Amino acid sequence: MFSPSSLLSLCSLYVLLVLVSCFNGAYSSSSSSSVPSKIGKGYRLIFAEETTDGGFIGHLEVKENNNIYGPDIPLLQLYVKHETEDRLRVHITDAEKQRWEVPYNLLPREQPPALKHTVGRSRKNPITVSEIAGPELIFSYTADPFNFAVKRKSNGQTLFNSSSYGSDSFGEMVFKDQYLEISTQLPKDASLYGLGENTQPHGIKLYPNDPYTLYTTDVSAINLNTDLYGSHPVYMDLRNVGGEPYAHAVLLLNSNGMDVFYRGNSLTYKVIGGVFDFYFLSGPTPLGVVDQYTSFIGRPAPMPYWSLGFHQCRWGYHNLSVVEDVVENYKKAQIPLDVIWNDDDHMDGHKDFTLNPVNYPRPKLLAFLDKIHKRGMKYIVIIDPGIGVNSSYGVYQRGIANDVFIKYDGEPYLAQVWPGAVNFPDFLNPKTVAWWGDEIRRFHELVPVDGLWIDMNEASNFCSGKCTIPKGKVCPSGTGPGWICCLDCKNITSTRWDNPPYKINASGLQVPIGFKTIATSAVHYNGVLEYDAHSLYGFAQSIATHKALQGLEGKRPFILSRSTYVGSGRYAAHWTGDNKGTWEDLKYSITTVLNFGIFGVPMVGADICGFYPAPTEELCNRWIEVGAFYPFSRDHANYYSPRQELYQWKTVTKSAQNALGMRYKLLPYLYTLNYMAHTSGAPIARPLFFSFPAYKECYGLSTQFLLGSSLMVSPVLEQGKTSVKALFPPGSWYSVFDMTQTIVSKGQYFTLDAPLNVVNVHLYQNTILPMQQGGMISKEARMTPFTLIVAFPIGASEAQAKGNLYLDNDELPEMKLGNGYSTYVDLYATVKEGSVKIWSEVHEDASSLEINGSPVANGAPNIELGSVEQMRLQADVEDEQGEKKPLMVEISGLNLYVGKNFEMSMKMGTQG
């Protein structure tokens, strides 16, 4: 939905600067010219000992007090532990007073030892060594000044080094109540990825001296290098040492606002609260890093099969008839469509969990849903967290009765969003979680929606400060933009929480951290300050929403959330927010999608054709050719945009039929990738370096991407182009649209033809790709026979190919093997001296598995579902002159059941 984030677009920059100037009396800028680059002299280690859980604990004493950004905390507790073979934790906090940390019930993890109050007494197990080795990583330290390093055990490579020795750009560790600083040295040839959410104009690699601020903010994604909707304080570091790639990751688990300064040869964190809670993940492959990361933060949520189909949404479907027309027009245009969405048009006065009785009368809506549900389609609606303050509104009444709202001065904090005056639910409160679940249950009884879209949950507020409802005027008035603040508000500048000593680069302009959000001195459950918990709001709401949906009918939930944090992927999908219909935004979308795969949120996509007005016909053609291969594929537009459904233009219709037609054939592959993401964290959409980590040329590549390990998308991203220059890592590549079209690369760029309706997608060698025949709805596509594409490298006399396939009843909440409702199949093929062997190994006999009511395994011969009807072999053979020639062999009429092991062999040859 459109939001006040648009105020931060360049065309309205002046407006924002005027708003910020109102705060100048209380919010002075923390400019680098007035603050030294090195603050204080750090800490010294005064003792260290082993802990009973196999860790290491010590105390750090400040060397010299100073008052820059407040007084130093005099005594810190250091805790170090190799938690797993590949994960090292370094935790530093106040030794004498409990500090804010990400709640352990939101992100389950090991608790560090209790704080020690007997400083200086003799210890039973004093440590005299300066190194603590684990299976993969080594922690080392120096005592005075205290700093630490993390090294890779296998080759001694330093992954993190907090020493400031020899550095002009950063100093020793700083630990104050509202200012924490720590740095690491980096080799200049390290390639870093992550630290989001932001729109990165330079591509997926972090760019030295670009700002990286982490603080969840309702700022439009059209703003570059700005803190956006999510906070993910994790980065992956990929290095190439003598031709050998090594990847690792560093997570600073801290929810407070922070600036991260990457200078190319160093990285510095400046955080306005909390603790240092570092997790080092050893990799050494990019896939290994994400596996280790999601093993810790939570595996990505299993997604229902239909969610991998195409979605259509728009803010501005004024009534149900418009929605019905959209669905029918997609059907007439023969463009696949699985899910139709409503923004807040269906609501009564923008209020959550309501229906507009005139434009969306319940009897007609239920009849429409019954119709599309029978067809196999789904329906999703939006929910914003702000609950309208209205004494006749049952949701609000029950919220007040259950005391579920965030407080300010003992009263529910008053803000303004679309309904007007609102209160914000406190999702850290167990009573709120129960109340929220009950409201979702009530709404589902009113309207049987198939998923929920939680938006504006950074949280977004159209006002700032402490507000009251004005007397004698209607707010909002119903005329003009709905995002203009009409409450009576006063700036809050009296507390150190609203006016911290260090100013992060909020919204890219150092605006106050309470600007257009919940006041940071507002209070959550158990006295938790919004100052600390701010960036967790959308994460906590996702958890509560997931719990509610899972409890409704025992089905697998689908939730789309705008705001995310570390671990959000365990509960929700994500879209990249309010983008614009420009060629630049199309290009930026790839980087953001790839970043979220690294963040453990693999179900992600951007608004196809752009959210803000208005895409050109050519741009929309090219955008659906990219968007058809986003993990989450949805066209969404602004209220003020011209209509941009894919059938609005004949050329876009053709491009959509082509690109989405291929997506629907690839659904079994995408669903298997969904399973791999859920079990190992492997991103669905990936940078090329995930499959080719030794190939340095692809480290910064942000204009192409992989689906899984082997399917490469090389789209046109520039206006007026009918060809695309694409990088092909070494090996054989086959066009999935025409398997006779092959490229053999030594690691080079090729110029590919790309007329307006064509997108280039290539399959890599040594792969077996499962496909089906497609359809207009995933339910239909899932009923069609399989085709297996077996791709051998061109020029190889001996080769192997592998693939896999996962099938289940996607209504079940869990995605796992061993329940009788799922099948996992490994597929193998070999070629040797012209003989080809293809076989499968079924790991689960899903005797109970039914898809759309039809059995997959043990099915009768006349049931095509679950059978392999066709195989295509991509290989090469010698002609009479001994030259290698590519050859495609298509074998039809097979009746090989996916749920049963099969094996077949054949001889390949050609005549001159």
Side-chain angles (χ1 to χ4, degrees), residues 53 139 181 264 341 363 439 497 735 805:
D53 64 355
F139 173 86
E181 180 182 322
W341 295 55
E439 296 302 336
W497 312 117
S735 168
L805 178 65

Side-chain angles (χ1 to χ4, degrees), residues 15-25 27 509-512 515:
V15 175
L16 181 62
L17 291 174
V18 172
L19 290 168
V20 174
S21 70
C22 299
F23 295 89
N24 282 347
Y27 291 86
L509 294 166
Q510 285 192 339
V511 303
F515 180 70

Side-chain angles (χ1 to χ4, degrees), residues 397-415:
Q397 292 173 334
R398 290 184 290 272
I400 290 293
N402 285 282
D403 193 23
V404 303
F405 297 117
I406 294 171
K407 301 289 181 61
Y408 192 91
D409 287 343
E411 298 293 328
Y413 176 75
L414 193 71

Side-chain angles (χ1 to χ4, degrees), residues 80-262:
V80 180
K81 185 181 179 184
H82 292 277
E83 292 189 334
T84 68
E85 288 189 357
D86 42 43
R87 185 174 77 234
L88 168 69
R89 184 183 192 183
V90 178
H91 183 276
I92 302 174
T93 187
D94 189 330
E96 299 177 301
K97 182 181 177 183
Q98 193 74 37
R99 288 182 63 79
W100 165 258
E101 299 186 44
V102 174
Y104 284 77
N105 63 322
L106 287 188
L107 192 67
R109 59 201 188 278
E110 292 184 28
Q111 293 264 12
L115 299 178
K116 302 288 185 179
H117 296 284
T118 54
V119 180
R121 297 182 183 178
S122 62
R123 300 291 171 177
K124 295 180 180 179
N125 303 301
I127 287 180
T128 57
V129 299
S130 60
E131 242 182 38
I132 306 168
E136 298 292 340
L137 299 174
I138 298 172
F139 173 86
S140 62
Y141 66 90
T142 57
D144 189 4
F146 170 78
N147 53 67
F148 71 91
V150 178
K151 298 180 180 179
R152 191 180 298 282
K153 192 174 184 179
S154 63
N155 60 7
Q157 187 181 69
T158 299
L159 310 186
F160 192 96
N161 183 1
S162 69
S163 171
S164 67
Y165 180 77
S167 172
D168 295 326
S169 58
F170 66 88
E172 299 296 334
M173 183 179 77
V174 181
F175 204 117
K176 301 168 185 282
D177 189 27
Q178 288 183 269
Y179 181 78
L180 285 68
E181 180 182 322
I182 196 168
S183 303
T184 179
Q185 302 173 20
L186 290 169
K188 286 188 176 181
D189 60 349
S191 296
L192 269 59
Y193 311 89
L195 296 179
E197 177 180 8
N198 58 17
T199 300
Q200 298 173 197
H202 294 106
I204 190 169
K205 273 180 65 172
L206 299 189
Y207 193 78
N209 301 316
D210 271 359
Y212 297 97
T213 298
L214 279 65
Y215 189 72
T216 62
T217 307
D218 178 7
V219 173
S220 168
I222 68 176
N223 295 278
L224 307 181
N225 291 324
T226 301
D227 47 310
L228 299 181
Y229 314 105
S231 175
H232 294 271
V234 61
Y235 69 85
M236 180 188 294
D237 181 334
L238 177 61
R239 305 176 190 178
N240 195 299
V241 183
E244 290 292 324
Y246 293 91
H248 69 274
V250 179
L251 165 67
L252 173 56
L253 188 60
N254 183 305
S255 64
N256 290 85
M258 68 179 77
D259 289 330
V260 185
F261 296 88
Y262 172 53

Side-chain angles (χ1 to χ4, degrees), residues 17 27 116 120 156 205 312 338 411 534 537 559 607 618 697 763 858:
L17 291 174
Y27 291 86
K116 302 288 185 179
K205 273 180 65 172
Q312 177 62 50
D338 258 78
E411 298 293 328
H534 170 84
Y537 194 84
I559 300 161
D607 285 346
E618 181 190 1
E697 287 78 359
L763 179 66
N858 304 322

Side-chain angles (χ1 to χ4, degrees), residues 269-306:
Y269 300 90
K270 297 184 178 183
V271 195
I272 61 173
V275 302
F276 288 132
D277 195 2
F278 282 104
Y279 293 84
F280 299 92
L281 308 168
S282 66
T285 66
L287 270 179
V289 165
V290 180
D291 185 3
Q292 294 152 15
Y293 183 56
T294 57
S295 174
F296 171 60
I297 67 168
R299 297 298 195 193
M303 294 291 158
Y305 201 92
W306 53 262

